[in-house]
């Protein structure tokens, strides 16, 4: 019997390597051999038990790979074949509910109803005991049934660059939720991977001015190379005064990616009257957010919008990664082999060695570098 190795979280606080059987495929199924999987802060929240999901599970939702096997019907319908390079969206939408039919499949109603049971999100809430068990990117292979959203990746993308498709798709979702268009001024809060990619996505949508705020100068420097006109280190200057100097009326759009309650509260102070604030950073816990409704929101007619997951973002993300001369690989500061998954999580948790984005090569052993 052929087996597949995967890292499983059996319960909060523990992770171990397990073996799964190589699955048999129905005509509409396909199997992806994972080449790269990005480490996300959400993976740590899952390990810590912060998200209230069912265990055991295999984490990892930022994965790309090649088709190892594909059913005949899936090959015809998708126009794919063995060996094609692909990215798989993290959500398995039903394609039939009201939200899916409206194009907002990230809000699939089936996912709402089934989180406590089967779950619908790769690497997040599909329990490992759901057949065939390969539902996360911290694995040699991932199973993709008929409802999976699978995107072809062109050959000119390196595996490292391609590993940024999912987080860049999240950034495009936030930018498009804000309605960023030509000439708009945009302030991004938080120079983590999503924030840096949001700068690039905003520029791709035609933003006239892009400003980013944060606390780590090394990341702010990267933001300028991602297309930011200015970066503001909030540890050394007054962020509100600095934004006002650059944008006297405030920004047309503010996108918060820091995942901190304080940053979300501050976001309404950077935006102009009648502007848009998008909250895209997940806090990982039930932290209350407080706004002064009259002076912060009502009197200025500020639109506050949430942005969840990456619906509609994969196509522009793949296009930008394929065509842009930006050095996206600069965001990937740490590479790990499959045997180094626990080490990678430890480094990301402790922010050791200046880690910005960690990526695991699941086709190699231990190769941290």
């Amino acid at each position: 019997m052929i087996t597949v190795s995967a890292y499983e979280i059996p319960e909060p606080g523990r992770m171990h390597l397990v073996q799964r059987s190589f699955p048999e495929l129905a005509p509409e199924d396909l199997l992806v051999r994972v080449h790269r999987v990005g480490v996300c802060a959400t993976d740590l929240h899952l390990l810590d038990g912060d998200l209230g999901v069912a265990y055991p599970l295999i984490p990892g939702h930022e994965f790309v790979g090649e088709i190892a096997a594909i059913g005949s019907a899936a090959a015809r319908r998708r126009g794919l074949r063995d060996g094609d390079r692909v990215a798989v969206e993290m959500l398995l939408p039903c394609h039939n509910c009201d939200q899916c039919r409206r194009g907002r499949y990230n809000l699939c109603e089936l996912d709402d109803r089934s989180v406590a049971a089967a779950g619908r999100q790769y690497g997040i809430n599909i329990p490992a005991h759901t057949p065939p068990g390969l539902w996360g990117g911290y694995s040699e292979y991932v199973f993709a049934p008929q409802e999976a959203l699978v995107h072809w990746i062109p050959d000119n993308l390196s595996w490292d660059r391609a590993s940024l498709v999912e987080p860049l798709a999240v950034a495009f979702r936030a930018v498009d939720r804000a309605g960023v268009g030509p000439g708009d001024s945009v302030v991004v809060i938080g120079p983590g991977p999503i924030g840096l990619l949001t700068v690039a996505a905003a520029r791709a949508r035609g933003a006239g001015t892009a400003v980013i705020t944060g606390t780590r100068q090394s990341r702010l420097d990267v933001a300028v190379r991602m297309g930011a006109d200015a970066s503001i280190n909030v540890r050394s200057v007054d962020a509100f005064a600095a934004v006002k100097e650059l944008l006297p009326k405030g920004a047309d759009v503010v996108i918060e990616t820091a995942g901190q309650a304080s940053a979300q509260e501050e976001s309404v102070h950077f935006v102009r009257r009648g502007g848009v604030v998008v909250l895209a950073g997940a806090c990982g816990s039930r932290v209350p957010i407080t706004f002064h409704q009259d002076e912060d929101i009502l009197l200025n007619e500020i639109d506050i919008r949430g942005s969840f997951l990456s619906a509609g973002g994969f196509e522009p993300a793949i296009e930008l990664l394929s065509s842009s001369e930006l050095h996206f690989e600069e965001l990937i500061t740490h590479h790990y082999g499959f045997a180094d998954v626990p080490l990678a999580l430890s480094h990301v948790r402790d922010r050791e060695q200046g880690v910005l984005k960690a990526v695991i090569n699941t086709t190699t052993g231990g190769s941290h570098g």
Side-chain angles (χ1 to χ4, degrees), residues 70-331:
I70 187 168
S72 56
R76 287 194 302 271
R77 181 170 65 87
R78 297 180 183 275
L80 296 171
R81 61 185 180 181
D82 286 355
D84 278 351
R85 305 161 85 246
V86 294
V88 182
E89 296 197 30
M90 67 177 290
L91 181 65
L92 291 169
C94 72
H95 302 282
N96 294 313
C97 69
D98 288 343
Q99 296 290 0
C100 283
R101 288 197 294 269
R102 292 183 181 122
R104 302 183 75 172
Y105 57 87
N106 56 318
L107 305 180
C108 177
E109 294 166 3
L110 181 59
D111 187 49
D112 290 339
R113 293 194 299 268
S114 62
V115 165
R120 304 289 292 183
Q121 297 175 33
Y122 278 105
I124 302 292
N125 64 17
I126 308 178
H129 53 64
T130 302
L134 302 175
W135 299 108
Y138 286 27
S139 174
E140 293 177 306
Y141 293 87
V142 169
F143 174 73
Q146 180 176 353
E147 61 267 39
L149 298 167
V150 182
H151 300 268
W152 179 77
I153 295 175
D155 292 338
N156 70 314
L157 278 186
S158 68
W159 283 119
D160 281 348
R161 196 173 175 100
S163 70
L164 297 171
V165 166
E166 197 277 342
L168 182 54
V170 170
F172 267 110
R173 177 68 182 176
V175 166
D176 290 342
R177 284 285 291 152
V180 173
D184 283 344
S185 57
V186 179
V187 169
V188 177
I189 301 176
I194 297 296
L196 297 173
L197 291 168
T198 297
V199 169
R203 282 299 202 191
R205 289 295 192 236
T209 304
V211 178
I212 191 166
T213 71
T215 60
R216 291 184 236 179
Q217 191 59 48
S218 61
R219 295 187 175 191
L220 294 171
D221 292 340
V222 174
V224 174
R225 296 192 288 277
M226 286 291 108
D229 295 285
S231 64
I232 298 171
N233 190 325
V234 301
R235 286 181 174 169
S236 57
V237 299
D238 182 297
F240 304 115
V243 169
K244 191 169 183 62
E245 183 177 351
L246 292 166
L247 304 168
K249 293 183 179 181
D252 296 314
V253 169
V254 175
I255 302 176
E256 179 278 326
T257 68
Q260 298 177 351
S262 60
Q264 295 181 352
E265 291 172 348
E266 292 170 354
S267 61
V268 297
H269 300 294
F270 295 130
V271 73
R272 65 166 173 79
R273 300 191 76 187
V276 177
V277 172
V278 170
L279 305 181
C283 294
S285 60
R286 295 182 178 180
V287 179
I289 307 297
T290 302
F291 298 113
H292 295 99
Q293 201 274 350
D294 284 0
E295 59 192 87
D296 292 341
I297 310 300
L298 186 147
L299 297 179
N300 293 314
E301 281 200 346
I302 303 302
D303 287 344
I304 299 179
R305 304 171 186 172
S307 182
F308 179 55
L309 302 182
S310 55
F314 269 69
E315 293 88 347
I318 292 171
E319 169 62 26
L320 186 62
L321 290 169
S322 301
S323 61
S324 175
E325 295 182 358
L326 292 174
H327 296 289
F328 285 101
E329 293 88 348
E330 185 179 357
L331 274 63

Side-chain angles (χ1 to χ4, degrees), residues 28-51:
E28 282 286 1
D29 299 336
L30 59 90
L31 193 69
V32 177
R33 184 192 182 203
V34 180
H35 276 254
R36 298 290 190 279
V37 57
V39 179
C40 176
T42 301
D43 304 336
L44 294 173
H45 289 311
L46 290 167
L47 185 57
D48 294 341
D50 293 338
L51 303 185

